[in-house]
Amino acid sequence: MTTTTREYWGPVEPLEPALSVRQVLALERVLAGDPEVVAGAAQLDRPVRWVHVAEAADVGVMLSGGEMVLTTGVLLAGDEHAQAEYVRSLHRAEAAAVVLGLGRAFPAPPDMMRRAAERCGLPMVVLHRPSPFAELTEEVQSRLVRRKFAAVSLSEAVRTALTGLITAGAPLQQLLDEIAHHTGCPVVVTNLAHRVLATAGERSAVDDVLRDWERIARQAGGSEGDGWIRAELGGRGERWGQIMLCGYRGDTAGGRLLADRAAEALVLHRMLGGATAHSWEEQSAQGLLTDLVSGVVAARQLLPRARAAGLPVNRRTFVPLVVRGAGCAQLERMLRLLGMAGLVAELADGATAVLLSLARDQDAEALAAHFAARLRTESGESGTVVAAAASRIAWDDVPAGLREAQHVADAVADSSAVLDLPAVVRLKDVHLRGLIRLLRDDPHVQAFAERELDGLLCAAGEDLLAVLRTYLATGRNKSRTAQLHHVSRPALYRRLESIQGRLGVDLDDFEQAASVHIALLAHDAQQA
């Protein structure tokens, strides 16, 4: 059994945001100095990257942005022009705030500095009580260093976890679940057209994101904010998608670090697994259609996923199809060729689901028939079967439609040789075989099949059961049955006599033959 990395790493809380000016002013050592905000009160949520003690008038040239500057203003006293320029230089350097310790140089807040700071929107704080700058700097710097170390540690934990999953051959969804576990927010992977390829995170939170995805996608090229953090997916000069952390609650820098680690892992996963962005689109469609068919998730809850995957859903007609004899790539190519909107996903047993989305004024039946005819022509496969359910107007009715189409496809799975099938097979075309397929799990039907075929349901009766199946499927045509089984007519007669003796029936009697035929259809449906 493979142990996932999550068992080694416990739940990781998102890193808290970097210290803001407001949070610094609330620290015990700062409060001891009796701080007062005299300008820029609306900007107290600015992040503080570092604390710098400086008395030089040209300190701005030494800053790189985000610093809280501590000063006594000793070199500025008596020169109002220098005081205003000092504040302007801090503003140009994008300092977080300036803190002035009142004392001999400035026994009261200098009005020129205050007005300049207010015009620039730079928070200006004065300390009314003496406060050792060294202790204050030590307090803030130690907190900032701890946060940076925590960010690096979390980044390495995520890298280790994702690398372990990739090495173990984990699927894409498991990687995304791990990323969402560490970031504590919904994670969305899109292609370059902003169509959603995969998601992870708490289901309700993901649904909230997808419900508003059209607006989010339109703003995808804008600046990050409010915890929306992106990282590009690509390599060798080619971009093919992006991963987005949606509503990350922690520090933006830490979030970018996590997003970068996640992007690295997804690119590596794609390279090692031979996957493509297109194959991720197939997985997304497969997950959506599988959930629709299974009915485990209510259709209404899947609507945001369908919309985010690029399927038109507003005022549309939906045509559920299940195809045998054609793969996903061929069907998607056909949709593009015909200019139809739809989702394609592989189901079990070689079947492929296609959900067409048509405008309300289009003829659904005619377009489905056109799709099937072109598919057969393009593929050159006469055995291609396109099963369809009646078109649906309401999205909530789509799951039942997909199940109906799957049922029709199953009913004709082994019958194309003996049934004259139309281009699009519907429920009315599968007759008794379709009914038996629907009832195959009923205990009464199962008991009936066992009772009717009891004499042939053993190893010694397998050959006779095959002869019986052909005989009934050909409408009790003895010549055709003998030909298909490569035996003489006398040999076939002997086998039919043996079958009738074992079952205790007369196959020349229509009712008895019909009863055996129904039992055989039920038996085959149960085996399938």
Side-chain angles (χ1 to χ4, degrees):
M1 182 180 70
T2 302
T3 302
T4 64
T5 310
R6 183 173 296 187
E7 294 177 356
Y8 293 105
W9 298 94
V12 180
E13 292 296 326
L15 295 177
E16 295 180 7
L19 284 175
S20 64
V21 175
R22 191 186 308 278
Q23 289 172 312
V24 170
L25 297 181
L27 296 178
E28 186 175 349
R29 290 188 178 180
V30 180
L31 289 174
D34 192 13
E36 178 190 359
V37 179
V38 296
Q43 303 295 324
L44 295 183
D45 291 320
R46 285 183 173 182
V48 176
R49 187 183 60 82
W50 207 241
V51 179
H52 193 73
V53 180
E55 298 294 349
D58 58 350
V59 64
V61 299
M62 296 180 282
L63 305 180
S64 57
E67 295 91 350
M68 174 178 278
V69 177
L70 309 182
T71 183
T72 61
V74 65
L75 300 181
L76 301 174
D79 189 340
E80 291 189 341
H81 175 74
Q83 295 168 21
E85 179 56 29
Y86 179 83
V87 171
R88 288 192 291 267
S89 70
L90 293 181
H91 171 65
R92 289 192 296 269
E94 298 183 348
V98 58
V99 178
L100 175 66
L102 300 181
R104 285 182 299 174
F106 291 102
D111 192 55
M112 182 59 70
M113 288 184 68
R114 184 191 62 75
R115 289 202 304 270
E118 193 65 56
R119 284 194 297 269
C120 293
L122 176 72
M124 178 177 173
V125 181
V126 297
L127 301 178
H128 289 277
R129 296 177 185 171
S131 181
F133 282 175
E135 293 183 5
L136 192 153
T137 302
E138 179 184 6
E139 172 75 12
V140 178
Q141 308 292 50
S142 63
R143 289 176 179 265
L144 292 173
V145 168
R146 284 199 300 271
R147 289 167 185 264
K148 290 186 177 181
F149 178 76
V152 173
S153 297
L154 178 56
S155 171
E156 289 306 308
V158 171
R159 172 180 283 170
T160 301
L162 297 179
T163 301
L165 289 174
I166 293 172
T167 304
L172 170 66
Q173 189 60 53
Q174 193 171 350
L175 260 68
L176 294 178
D177 289 341
E178 191 71 20
I179 294 167
H181 167 72
H182 283 280
T183 60
C185 68
V187 176
V188 176
V189 177
T190 73
N191 62 12
L192 293 180
H194 306 301
R195 289 191 175 182
V196 175
L197 306 182
T199 62
E202 184 182 349
R203 188 74 265 160
S204 60
V206 171
D207 288 345
D208 287 343
V209 170
L210 297 184
R211 197 170 290 113
D212 200 26
W213 186 252
E214 292 182 4
R215 180 187 62 80
I216 294 170
R218 286 196 298 270
Q219 297 176 351
S223 59
E224 296 174 345
D226 297 327
W228 296 82
I229 300 172
R230 299 183 308 277
E232 300 295 334
L233 299 175
R236 300 177 181 175
E238 177 190 9
R239 283 178 56 243
W240 43 268
Q242 68 176 3
I243 181 171
M244 181 178 289
L245 308 185
C246 305
Y248 180 71
R249 299 191 306 275
D251 173 33
T252 299
R256 289 198 188 101
L257 202 57
L258 292 177
D260 288 342
R261 295 292 86 81
E264 290 172 5
L266 295 186
V267 171
L268 181 61
H269 180 271
R270 177 189 176 189
M271 291 174 59
L272 294 181
T276 63
H278 181 66
S279 70
W280 284 4
E281 291 182 20
E282 291 177 354
Q283 291 178 37
S284 175
Q286 182 171 357
L288 174 59
L289 291 185
T290 299
D291 286 345
L292 279 169
V293 171
S294 69
V296 173
V297 183
R300 183 59 52 182
Q301 295 179 7
L302 296 173
L303 187 59
R305 285 172 58 186
R307 184 182 290 111
L311 183 73
V313 295
N314 294 331
R315 298 188 59 78
R316 306 290 287 187
T317 297
F318 303 101
V319 182
L321 306 175
V322 172
V323 181
R324 289 188 179 274
C328 287
Q330 186 178 3
L331 292 168
E332 288 178 344
R333 187 168 58 252
M334 187 57 56
L335 288 177
R336 290 193 295 271
L337 180 65
L338 298 177
M340 292 182 176
L343 293 179
V344 178
E346 184 178 347
L347 302 177
D349 302 325
T352 306
V354 181
L355 180 61
L356 300 179
S357 174
L358 308 176
R360 290 280 177 89
D361 58 354
Q362 292 180 295
D363 188 332
E365 288 198 14
L367 285 175
H370 181 55
F371 176 85
R374 287 294 299 270
L375 178 63
R376 286 187 176 180
T377 301
E378 294 289 331
S379 65
E381 296 289 339
S382 59
T384 300
V385 175
V386 179
S391 59
R392 263 62 176 176
I393 299 297
W395 174 258
D396 287 345
D397 295 333
V398 168
L402 285 168
R403 288 192 290 271
E404 179 183 319
Q406 187 175 30
H407 159 68
V408 173
D410 288 344
V412 299
D414 301 316
S415 309
S416 57
V418 296
L419 293 179
D420 184 17
L421 298 175
V424 178
V425 188
R426 300 183 183 275
L427 195 58
K428 63 183 178 61
D429 300 313
V430 294
H431 306 296
L432 179 61
R433 189 178 299 272
L435 176 64
I436 295 300
R437 280 273 177 170
L438 283 176
L439 300 176
R440 64 182 175 177
D441 294 327
D442 188 294
H444 295 91
V445 174
Q446 294 173 355
F448 170 77
E450 291 282 334
R451 186 170 59 251
E452 289 289 299
L453 302 174
D454 182 55
L456 299 181
L457 299 180
C458 60
E462 287 183 1
D463 290 341
L464 294 177
L465 197 64
V467 171
L468 175 63
R469 184 180 291 109
T470 304
Y471 179 62
L472 295 172
T474 57
R476 296 184 292 175
N477 186 319
K478 294 182 176 65
S479 297
R480 181 60 176 156
T481 302
Q483 182 183 10
L484 290 173
H485 283 270
H486 308 289
V487 297
S488 64
R489 294 268 302 230
L492 175 65
Y493 293 157
R494 288 193 296 272
R495 295 186 185 186
L496 291 176
E497 288 175 2
S498 178
I499 291 171
Q500 293 181 105
R502 283 172 175 251
L503 298 183
V505 299
D506 178 6
L507 292 178
D508 289 330
D509 181 86
F510 176 79
E511 184 174 337
Q512 293 183 54
S515 181
V516 172
H517 195 185
I518 292 171
L520 186 57
L521 290 176
H523 169 76
D524 290 346
Q526 291 159 16
Q527 296 303 308

